[in-house]
Amino acid sequence: MQRNVMVPAWAGALAGLVSGGVALGIAQLAAGLVGPATFPVVAVGDAAVDLTPAPLKDFAIRTFGENDKAVLIGGVLVVLAAVAALIGVLARRRLAYGFAGLAAFGVVGLLAVLTRPDAGPLDAVPTVIGVAVGCWALSWLVRRASGGPIPANVPDAAFAPAATLPAPAATVGAPAAGPVSGDGRPEDEPVVERPAVMRAGDGLRAFDRRRLITGAVGGVAVAGAAALLGRQFGGRQAVDAARVGVALPKPATPAKPLPAGTDLGIRGLSPFVTPNSDFYRVDTALVVPQVDPNAWSLRIHGLVDRPVELTYADLLKMPLTEADVTLTCVSNEVGGPYAGNARWLGVRMADVLRQAGLRSNADMLLSTSADGFTCGTPADVVMDGRDALFAVAMNGEVLPVDHGFPVRQVVPGLYGYVSATKWVVDIKVTRFDADEAYWTPRGWSEKGPIKTQSRIDVPGYGDSLQAGRTTIAGVAWAQHTGVDAVEVRVDRGEWRQAKLAAVPGPDTWRQWSIDWDATTGEHTLEVRATDAHGRTQTDQLAPPAPNGATGWHTVTVQVR
């Protein structure tokens, strides 16, 4: 029978952590070759997003903003690390326990990977390889720390506590006294061979801390290198290179030049055009899809006379339209940051749909993203003449990967969850009574027309101001209707009309400002907007679900 040296609990935990890291690194490397979505951590995270109740998702967006996905992935990794450490502690007693724990994690990962909408048998490979290598790493580290197996011919007494070992029998005829040797034994006393005394559970070789640490460092290096290679193979670099190589055609219908006075130039006020790097991002993609434009295609099918499939090259050859459009997320709280304005370039969706020939009974466009997300857009809105686009560019440059490269939808007047599909690859022309999009069964409305909103950008909530003349400024939006007036009041006094900036049309937000003679003390500032149809924002507070927040944005400031 073979026995292993008993490895301390902390060493087992370290071995488990490193083995888990190696498993994930190898899995990510394999996922880089098979497909980024097959990485089990991402698959588990995606499953968590899909299963999370809508109120909890709202909380995550409110609390963490655009970092909600990073927080989710971080949470998954923390849980994995804790369980991996526990697996290592168990494995130090019996490796089979560790193998069973890693296998259980593999089953969870496989279920998450293989239940994705577009999953295939090959998608299981990263998880299987990761678990197998993780098991090998765990076995190697535990054996390395224990100095290897103990020979079978070691007597059981060698593993007994010292207190339980019998004292050696006295030698017959030995003198009772006499000269004493250096070790305290009488010089003429015969030497008695004692068994090797060890602590319970110890083997012939002591626990080897150095061998474990060096092995763990090597495992971390392997995990890091594998993860790095996996990210490179995942396609980001190739897609970035393909994106840089795109030559954008000139628009057949360019946007009108911005009128004078579009941007008031007030410090702290949101600029009229939101830079791409600052444009908000709210979507369900934990890992941004890497879509090769040369392999991309858009399929139009369903309730149409002639199904259509377009390549990226086909789309760029069509007449392109340029338009200034503000996008807004339905998750935006009153006064929230999830709104941005950009100049988009793309093919009018109506032109493509006319090629396919929409049937008269169709009322919904069910669009699908490369990552499987779906949204349902009212067909009549897209066909009513507004600048609804299959966009290929944003603010004069090829669409950024994070914002939907190679192609995304942009539809003025609708919240993004029913209109702004990124990485769009499929449009099913259907009916609302026949199909549901991603958010509808999760408690959100089928249709999402944008509600008129206004926001105070300066001063910010809780700011401390100097008494005297100061400027209150912000933005307001009522996409595809237009903002006609903005009013501000202080401490529930009289409403005063704000100055409005110029706008190129009804599809963008509008800057506003007003001067205020601030007096010492605490003050409450409120804003409301009125759209071009004469409808003023309601003061009734409502949360984002199910179809957009309402209420007046309120800011409290201190004046000294």
Side-chain angles (χ1 to χ4, degrees):
M1 181 177 66
Q2 289 185 338
R3 304 174 181 85
N4 288 334
V5 172
M6 178 57 72
V7 177
W10 70 265
L14 177 61
L17 282 170
V18 173
S19 301
V22 170
L24 292 180
I26 295 299
Q28 185 161 38
L29 175 58
L33 301 173
V34 177
T38 64
F39 182 42
V41 173
V42 172
V44 170
D46 282 332
V49 169
D50 291 343
L51 296 173
T52 300
L56 188 55
K57 289 182 181 179
D58 295 341
F59 168 78
I61 292 174
R62 285 196 310 271
T63 306
F64 304 113
E66 296 181 33
N67 297 316
D68 58 340
K69 299 169 187 64
V71 170
L72 174 60
I73 290 294
V76 172
L77 291 175
V78 167
V79 171
L80 288 176
V83 178
L86 177 60
I87 288 173
V89 171
L90 295 175
R92 86 192 208 280
R93 296 183 177 273
R94 187 181 294 270
L95 279 172
Y97 297 157
F99 295 161
L102 289 173
F105 260 101
V107 170
V108 173
L110 283 175
L111 287 174
V113 168
L114 296 178
T115 53
R116 294 180 303 111
D118 57 345
L122 189 62
D123 294 348
V125 170
T127 303
V128 172
I129 292 178
V131 169
V133 175
C135 287
W136 176 86
L138 181 63
S139 173
W140 181 73
L141 285 170
V142 170
R143 293 182 184 279
R144 183 176 177 85
S146 65
I150 298 169
N153 60 356
V154 177
D156 288 340
F159 297 93
T164 67
L165 293 176
T171 304
V172 178
V180 178
S181 65
D183 61 0
R185 177 179 51 83
E187 288 184 350
D188 54 354
E189 179 181 321
V191 177
V192 178
E193 294 294 334
R194 290 178 172 85
V197 178
M198 301 182 180
R199 296 177 182 176
D202 284 353
L204 288 180
R205 296 170 64 180
F207 160 66
D208 197 327
R209 183 193 306 264
R210 179 175 297 178
R211 283 169 59 85
L212 173 65
I213 297 299
T214 56
V217 170
V220 170
V222 169
L228 180 60
L229 287 173
R231 282 194 290 269
Q232 290 179 336
F233 290 151
R236 181 79 190 220
Q237 290 184 335
V239 170
D240 284 344
R243 178 178 172 271
V244 170
V246 173
L248 291 173
K250 291 183 179 181
T253 307
K256 297 178 182 178
L258 296 180
T262 299
D263 200 311
L264 299 177
I266 297 172
R267 184 176 180 180
L269 174 60
S270 300
F272 178 74
V273 176
T274 308
N276 292 354
S277 58
D278 296 335
F279 207 95
Y280 78 94
R281 178 196 163 203
V282 176
D283 51 52
T284 63
L286 292 182
V287 175
V288 176
Q290 306 299 308
V291 183
D292 183 352
N294 297 314
W296 177 89
S297 66
L298 175 65
R299 180 178 174 231
I300 313 290
H301 61 105
L303 298 178
V304 297
D305 297 327
R306 300 168 298 277
V308 171
E309 186 162 354
L310 298 171
T311 67
Y312 190 62
D314 293 335
L315 204 67
L316 294 183
K317 290 175 183 176
M318 296 180 69
L320 300 181
T321 296
E322 199 174 45
D324 297 303
V325 179
T326 293
L327 298 185
T328 309
C329 181
V330 72
S331 299
N332 207 33
E333 298 278 356
V334 172
Y338 303 130
N341 184 61
R343 175 163 288 186
W344 308 92
L345 175 69
V347 174
R348 295 175 66 88
M349 293 177 65
D351 292 345
V352 177
L353 294 170
R354 288 191 187 98
Q355 284 187 19
L358 269 66
R359 295 178 184 171
S360 59
N361 60 335
D363 65 4
M364 180 174 79
L365 308 175
L366 184 67
S367 55
T368 302
S369 167
D371 67 346
F373 170 81
T374 59
C375 87
T377 307
D380 59 340
V381 171
V382 172
M383 304 301 291
D384 70 0
R386 71 186 70 193
D387 291 324
L389 304 175
F390 288 121
V392 297
M394 179 180 184
N395 289 332
E397 67 175 78
V398 177
L399 201 63
V401 174
D402 287 350
H403 292 287
F405 177 78
V407 181
R408 71 169 296 167
Q409 292 181 185
V410 173
V411 182
L414 299 177
Y415 286 117
Y417 83 106
V418 297
S419 69
T421 305
K422 301 174 186 176
W423 314 286
V424 61
V425 294
D426 188 275
I427 303 286
K428 179 183 178 183
V429 181
T430 181
R431 295 186 54 80
F432 282 102
D433 58 10
D435 283 293
E436 283 186 322
Y438 180 89
W439 285 110
T440 305
R442 292 166 171 81
W444 296 81
S445 299
E446 285 185 335
K447 303 175 184 180
I450 287 175
K451 297 176 180 179
T452 301
Q453 279 290 330
S454 53
R455 183 178 77 199
I456 299 172
D457 285 345
V458 289
Y461 187 87
D463 280 0
S464 179
L465 311 175
Q466 292 285 349
R469 180 63 59 96
T470 190
T471 297
I472 305 171
V475 289
W477 55 85
Q479 290 95 308
H480 206 61
T481 301
V483 172
D484 200 46
V486 172
E487 298 169 288
V488 177
R489 71 176 181 181
V490 179
D491 299 329
R492 298 187 178 277
E494 294 293 324
W495 288 103
R496 295 174 54 211
Q497 290 281 341
K499 171 188 174 183
L500 296 179
V503 285
D507 292 335
T508 70
W509 61 13
R510 193 168 195 176
Q511 293 184 350
W512 57 267
S513 70
I514 190 171
D515 290 333
W516 169 46
D517 291 321
T519 57
T520 303
E522 181 179 276
H523 298 282
T524 300
L525 316 177
E526 294 174 289
V527 63
R528 69 182 185 185
T530 300
D531 69 19
H533 292 163
R535 296 174 296 218
T536 301
Q537 277 182 254
T538 177
D539 63 341
Q540 298 299 310
L541 290 174
N547 53 19
T550 62
W552 296 335
H553 189 210
T554 303
V555 170
T556 301
V557 297
Q558 295 286 338
V559 180
R560 59 185 188 279

